[in-house]
Amino acid sequence: MSAIGNIPIPINEPILSYAPGSAERTVLQAAIKELGSTVTNIPVVVNGQEHHPDQTITVTSPQRHQHKLATVHQAPAALLQDAIDGATAAQQDWEQWAFADRAAVFMKAADLLCGPWRARMNAATLLGQGKTPHQAEIDAACELADFLRFNVHYAERLLHEQPISVPGVWNRLDYRPLEGFVYAITPFNFTAIGGNLPTAPAILGNVALWKPSTTAVLSNWLFYQILREAGLPPGVIQFVPGQSSTVTDVLLSDPRLAGIHFTGSTAVFHQLWTGVAQRLDQYRGYPRLVGETGGKDFILAHPSADVDALVTALLRGAFEYQGQKCSAASRCYIPRSLWPRVEEQMRAEMGRIKMGDPADFSVFVGAVIDKRAYQRLEQVLVAAKADPRVRIVAGGKCDAREGWFVEPTVLETTDPRHQIMSVEFFGPILSTYIYEDNQWDEVLTLVDSGSPYALTGAIFSQDRRAVIAADKRLRHAAGNYYVNDKCTGAVVGQQPFGGGRASGTNDKAGSILNLYRWVSARTIKETANPPKDWRYPYLG
Ligand code: NAD
C-alpha cells in the first residue's frame, strides 16, 4: 500500500456505569459466574507455542481464599532462554513492519478489549485482583484501551519529530527500537499496567518478555489472548509467568538485555538496578531502566479547605481498591480548626462503607491481594494499637476467615515523623497528623521531607495564596500533583503518571515521554551534491 495513514486522534474510552438495570451489569454478572466456576489453566507462551512446564502455582481469589481461579505454569530457565532467542529473532521482522501495520495490531487489541472481551477482562480483574466493578472498569477496560490507543498516537507524533534540513542536505531521524529485548515486569494492582509495560515498547518495534505478577495473572493472560487475536506475531511479546528469581537471573544474565520496564515496589526495582549494574560489562549496550515504584501519597488541607470535598477525596483516595493504588492517599495533614468536622464526617461516612466480596455490587471495599499483604497490614495495626503516639480514629480490624479483609482505617499521630507518616503500607490505612493553623509554613516542610517518595499529592485550599505557596514548596514532592482533587485516578492522555525520588524514574506512563525511552535514534544525513574538492576557500 502506498499511503501515509493518519492515526485517528484517540479519545478516552467512556466508563460504563454498571448501574442497576444496565445491560453491562447483566453481562458482567454472567462473566463473573462463568469465569468464577472454572479453573483456568495458564501456560507459558514462547514463539506462539503454549508450554505447560511441570512447576505450577495455584491462583486464588483475595475475597475467597479457598476459591481456586487458575493454575499457572512457571517458566523454567531453559524455556526462558528459548524465549530470549525467539524474541530477538522475531525482532528482525517486527522492526521492519510499517508503523501503520504495527499500530493496527494495538488499535485492534483496544477495540477487542472494549468490545467482546470487556466483560471477561473486568470479571477476571474483579475475581483475581479483588476490584469492584467500577475499579475493574476504569482499569482493565478503560485505562488499558487508553494506553494502547494513546501510545499509538504518541508514537506517531514521535516519528514525525524530525531535524531541520538545509539546501542540498536532507537530515532525518530513524527511530530504531532498542537492539535486544525488553524485560517487562508488571505489578498486581493494575491490569492496565500489566498490558502497558510490554506493549508500549512493542509499538515502536521492540520485543519484550512479559513476566506478569502471579496475583494478576488471570486478567493478564486474557489480555495476552487479545493481543494474539489482534494479530501480534509470535515471539514479539513472550508470555513468561515464573518465579521472579529464576526469570530475573536468566534475563539479566543475557547480553541482549536492552531495557527493563518495571512497575512495582521500590525494593524490587533497587534489586533489579543493582543486578544490572553488577553485570554492566557483559551487555551489548546500556540497558534502559524504567521503573515506577512506591509512594506515600499525601493530602494536605489548608484551613480554607472545603471540608466536604476534602472528606470525599480522603475516602476515595485512601480506600478505593483497598488503598492498593500506588497513588492512594496514605498520609494527610489537617489543620486543627478543621479536624473536629473532618473526623466526625470521616467516621460517619466510613460507617456507611460496605466491605465484602465485590461480586456483590453494593460493596465499596474488597479484600487485600493476598496473605502476605494481609499479614503485613495486620502487623501495622497491632503495632499502632500498642503505640502511645498513635490513636485509632476509625476502623482497625482484620478478618481472614473467608478473604483477606482489612477494615478501612484512619490513624492519628502526634509525631509528624512517625513511620506511619513515611512508610508505604499499601493497604486501606490513612495516617493523619493534625497541625496548628498558624504553622502552614512548617507543615509544607513536613510534607516535602516527610517520606522518601514523591509520587502523588494533593492540596485542598480555597485561598489562592496558600495554593501558590504550596505549589512552590512542594514542586519536587509529587510527580502527580492535584489542587482540590483526590490524589488518585490519573487518566491516560490527561494526567501522565509517575513520580521522582524513591517513586521511580518518572518516565510518565501513557505519554510520549515514556516512548522516548524505547527508541534509539539513528541520524541520517544525505547530501545531494557532495563536495569534490577537499580544499576550503579560506586556504586561498
Ligand atoms: P512487587 O514489587 O512485589 O512486584 C512487582 C513485580 O515484580 C511482580 O511481577 C513481582 O512478581 C516481581 N518481582 C518481585 N520480586 C522480584 C525480583 N526479585 N526480581 C524481579 N521481579 C520481581 O509489587 P506489587 O506488590 O505487585 O505492586 C505494589 C507496588 O507497586 C507498590 O509499592 C506500589 O506503590 C507500586 N506501584 C507503583 C506504580 C507507579 O506507577 N509508581 C503503579 C502501580 C504499583
Side-chain angles (χ1 to χ4, degrees):
M1 184 175 69
S2 295
I4 299 176
N6 289 335
I7 299 292
I9 302 293
I11 52 163
N12 292 114
E13 176 64 22
I15 300 169
L16 301 182
S17 77
Y18 299 90
S22 63
E24 67 267 16
R25 188 178 176 104
T26 314
V27 178
L28 178 59
Q29 280 166 334
I32 294 168
K33 208 168 167 192
E34 194 187 328
L35 203 61
S37 57
T38 40
V39 180
T40 307
N41 190 26
I42 301 177
V44 178
V45 188
V46 171
N47 305 331
Q49 297 294 316
E50 294 187 5
H51 297 259
H52 299 91
D54 292 343
Q55 201 192 341
T56 59
I57 286 187
T58 300
V59 177
T60 58
S61 184
Q63 48 269 16
R64 296 183 189 279
H65 44 53
Q66 298 309 313
H67 180 178
K68 280 190 192 168
L69 289 173
T71 304
V72 53
H73 294 266
Q74 305 285 288
L79 189 55
L80 291 161
Q81 204 58 59
D82 291 348
I84 297 174
D85 295 343
T88 46
Q91 188 174 27
Q92 307 294 323
D93 173 54
W94 178 241
E95 72 164 278
Q96 300 298 338
W97 281 37
F99 172 68
D101 292 316
R102 286 202 306 266
V105 170
F106 298 102
M107 283 157 55
K108 177 167 179 165
D111 285 357
L112 290 173
L113 162 62
C114 295
W117 284 86
R118 190 181 201 122
R120 269 175 290 171
M121 282 288 282
N122 283 336
T125 303
L126 184 149
L127 289 164
Q129 290 140 268
K131 294 205 172 189
T132 60
H134 175 70
Q135 292 300 318
E137 167 76 5
I138 60 174
D139 167 17
C142 301
E143 188 172 355
L144 182 46
D146 287 352
F147 272 135
L148 294 164
R149 293 175 179 141
F150 279 81
N151 277 339
V152 164
H153 164 70
Y154 294 134
E156 185 195 32
R157 274 180 28 195
L158 185 154
L159 298 179
H160 273 123
E161 183 65 36
Q162 291 293 326
I164 58 162
S165 294
V166 293
V169 173
W170 185 15
N171 296 318
R172 279 167 289 166
L173 276 181
D174 167 18
Y175 289 100
R176 303 171 300 183
L178 307 183
E179 210 181 356
F181 69 92
V182 173
Y183 179 15
I185 309 162
T186 60
F188 80 82
N189 66 339
F190 276 91
T191 305
I193 300 177
N196 182 45
L197 300 195
T199 54
I203 289 168
L204 290 155
N206 291 281
V207 291
L209 273 74
W210 175 16
K211 195 209 81 60
S213 165
T214 303
T215 37
V217 72
L218 181 59
S219 64
N220 289 189
W221 164 235
L222 296 193
F223 180 63
Y224 191 74
Q225 294 176 72
I226 293 176
L227 290 175
R228 292 203 299 196
E229 192 177 326
L232 188 76
V236 170
I237 295 177
Q238 313 274 36
F239 187 71
V240 290
Q243 213 183 11
S244 299
S245 53
T246 309
V247 184
T248 300
D249 271 356
V250 175
L251 272 57
L252 261 55
S253 302
D254 196 286
R256 294 165 288 182
L257 178 75
I260 292 182
H261 204 188
F262 174 82
T263 296
S265 59
T266 301
V268 170
F269 191 50
H270 269 251
Q271 277 180 34
L272 289 165
W273 194 299
T274 308
V276 167
Q278 283 165 346
R279 298 168 171 92
L280 202 54
D281 287 342
Q282 72 194 42
Y283 299 123
R284 192 158 54 180
Y286 293 93
R288 302 268 170 97
L289 305 181
V290 175
E292 299 304 333
T293 60
K296 186 74 179 178
D297 309 301
F298 62 85
I299 292 186
L300 166 62
H302 184 259
S304 66
D306 174 331
V307 170
D308 294 341
L310 172 65
V311 168
T312 299
L314 289 169
L315 292 168
R316 286 185 169 174
F319 304 135
E320 275 184 309
Y321 192 36
Q322 297 79 266
Q324 298 172 119
K325 298 186 183 190
C326 45
S327 55
S330 54
R331 56 181 172 132
C332 67
Y333 301 80
I334 312 289
R336 187 161 307 280
S337 60
L338 295 189
W339 177 238
R341 277 169 64 206
V342 173
E343 179 178 355
E344 188 195 324
Q345 287 192 26
M346 287 287 285
R347 277 186 204 254
E349 294 305 326
M350 285 170 72
R352 296 186 184 103
I353 289 177
K354 185 167 167 186
M355 183 167 71
D357 183 343
D360 164 359
F361 285 13
S362 63
V363 156
F364 184 76
V365 165
V368 300
I369 192 69
D370 58 14
K371 187 176 185 176
R372 205 167 58 115
Y374 177 86
Q375 288 177 336
R376 184 182 67 238
L377 295 162
E378 190 181 37
Q379 266 175 21
V380 171
L381 295 176
V382 168
K385 283 173 194 159
D387 189 330
R389 292 167 304 159
V390 178
R391 176 172 79 94
I392 313 270
V393 176
K397 292 196 277 296
C398 301
D399 183 347
R401 281 171 298 175
E402 263 200 53
W404 308 116
F405 289 102
V406 176
E407 219 181 5
T409 299
V410 177
L411 305 177
E412 185 205 332
T413 179
T414 47
D415 176 3
R417 302 272 173 201
H418 195 289
Q419 64 156 9
I420 65 166
M421 300 298 289
S422 63
V423 175
E424 182 186 54
F425 299 137
F426 218 58
I429 301 177
L430 174 66
S431 307
T432 313
Y433 174 68
I434 316 301
Y435 71 92
E436 302 305 326
D437 286 42
N438 61 4
Q439 295 198 327
W440 175 243
D441 206 46
E442 289 82 345
V443 83
L444 288 176
T445 305
L446 272 179
V447 172
D448 185 38
S449 61
S451 106
Y453 300 103
L455 191 52
T456 78
I459 169 194
F460 277 76
S461 167
Q462 301 193 82
D463 173 342
R464 195 74 212 174
R465 281 191 191 286
V467 174
I468 295 167
D471 179 44
K472 284 193 188 135
R473 292 281 297 281
L474 302 178
R475 188 156 183 232
H476 294 280
N480 281 59
Y481 183 69
Y482 297 81
V483 179
N484 292 320
D485 206 336
K486 66 180 174 19
C487 55
T488 56
V491 175
V492 176
Q494 297 190 37
Q495 296 96 22
F497 193 79
R501 296 185 185 162
S503 294
T505 53
N506 197 17
D507 286 296
K508 297 290 188 219
S511 82
I512 199 166
L513 296 171
N514 179 279
L515 297 186
Y516 274 110
R517 299 302 307 272
W518 310 117
V519 289
S520 174
R522 175 173 68 134
T523 302
I524 303 171
K525 176 187 178 189
E526 184 168 344
T527 303
N529 186 16
K532 292 175 183 148
D533 179 357
W534 64 268
R535 281 169 289 254
Y536 291 106
Y538 78 91
L539 293 169

